[in-house]
Amino acid sequence: MREGIHPSYGPVVFRDRAANHAFLTRSTMTSERTIEWEDGHTYPVVDVEISNVSHPFYTGTARVLDTAGRVERFERRYGKKG
């Protein structure tokens, strides 16, 4: 790798404020805010709106859309081709 062109890559805490969940990982993202983690070290913290803990797909609360009903309703309203 060439020197001086890549962003710094280090430990960062991502915090999902909606679910009150945080996890430590490595990333190129940085933040001015910091948090003291369970291991006693201080890491930059990045707040996110949604994570695997609060996302409807992962929590099982996702709604399945009835696409067949929508197609039938469209065909009734505008007529079938052919």
Side-chain angles (χ1 to χ4, degrees):
M1 290 194 312
R2 287 183 25 202
E3 294 294 323
I5 63 167
H6 301 286
S8 61
Y9 182 73
V12 177
V13 174
F14 286 93
R15 181 172 51 187
D16 183 353
R17 301 289 260 169
N20 197 21
H21 176 73
F23 56 94
L24 177 66
T25 187
R26 294 178 56 88
S27 177
T28 58
M29 292 187 72
T30 59
S31 175
E32 297 294 323
R33 293 179 296 198
T34 60
I35 189 171
E36 187 172 334
W37 193 242
E38 301 160 352
D39 61 2
H41 292 91
T42 302
Y43 299 107
V45 62
V46 176
D47 290 328
V48 294
E49 294 180 18
I50 198 160
S51 70
N52 65 327
V53 177
S54 61
H55 194 280
F57 179 79
Y58 295 109
T59 60
T61 59
R63 295 180 298 175
V64 177
L65 297 177
D66 180 21
T67 56
R70 289 182 178 199
V71 170
E72 291 167 358
R73 187 172 49 211
F74 178 84
E75 289 175 349
R76 273 197 318 265
R77 186 177 295 167
Y78 299 108
K80 245 183 172 176
K81 270 188 152 182

